């Protein structure tokens, strides 16, 4: 009985440590306000940018699409992109569709040939 109690306590302690590490990582990503990433829902003319790669970020459980923006922006920055075209963010069914709906964001990371103004493209900036 004592072993079971000790293992349970150890499990909860390690779970809290892992959660604290994830929170610190999310805070570090959020505070890096380096350069904003412009999200554009449509696809502008193709001579204005160079396509890098299609990206997709999802959360495993319930939540808002807005919670994924810092990770999405960090992923785009890591590829050297300054914008994401053909952006879409919505709630999708997970593995157990009758129980779990999760947020998913995706789009195509691009590098603009010239300086852009996100508002003129009807886009929104995320950090």
């Amino acid at each position: 009985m004592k072993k079971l109690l000790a293992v349970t306590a150890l499990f909860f302690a390690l779970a809290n440590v892992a959660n604290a590490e994830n929170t610190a990582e999310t805070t570090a990503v959020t505070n890096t306000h380096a350069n904003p990433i412009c999200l554009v829902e449509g696809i502008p003319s193709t001579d204005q940018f160079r396509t890098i790669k299609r990206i997709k970020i999802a959360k495993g459980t319930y939540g808002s699409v807005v919670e994924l923006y810092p990770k999405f922006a960090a992923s785009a920055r890591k590829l050297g992109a300054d914008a994401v075209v053909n952006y879409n963010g919505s709630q999708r069914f997970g593995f157990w569709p009758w129980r779990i709906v999760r947020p998913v964001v995706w789009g195509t990371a691009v590098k603009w040939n010239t300086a852009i103004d996100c508002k003129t493209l009807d886009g929104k900036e995320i950090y």
Side-chain angles (χ1 to χ4, degrees):
M1 181 68 178
K2 289 182 182 180
K3 287 182 182 180
L4 179 64
L5 189 58
V7 169
T8 304
L10 181 63
F11 173 74
F12 282 115
L14 291 176
N16 286 334
V17 169
N19 188 26
E21 289 175 1
N22 288 340
T23 305
E25 180 181 313
T26 303
T27 305
V29 169
T30 305
N31 291 335
T32 59
H33 298 298
N35 53 342
I37 299 293
C38 182
L39 301 179
V40 181
E41 289 184 7
I43 301 176
S45 81
T46 56
D47 62 341
Q48 296 177 350
F49 59 85
R50 178 180 53 89
T51 302
I52 299 175
K53 185 178 178 182
R54 187 165 159 71
I55 54 177
K56 177 181 174 183
I57 302 289
K59 188 174 176 186
T61 60
Y62 296 107
S64 171
V65 170
V66 176
E67 294 174 11
L68 299 176
Y69 283 167
K71 272 186 151 177
F72 195 63
S75 177
R77 274 190 214 98
K78 186 176 179 181
L79 295 171
D82 52 9
V84 175
V85 298
N86 205 17
Y87 159 78
N88 196 351
S90 63
Q91 299 289 328
R92 297 286 181 185
F93 287 111
F95 180 73
W96 304 106
W98 58 91
R99 290 187 180 172
I100 298 176
V101 178
R102 65 194 185 116
V104 180
V105 292
W106 67 92
T108 304
V110 298
K111 181 76 174 171
W112 288 97
N113 297 332
T114 60
I116 61 160
D117 182 22
C118 193
K119 292 181 183 180
T120 60
L121 295 171
D122 292 329
K124 63 180 168 182
E125 291 182 342
I126 62 171
Y127 293 91

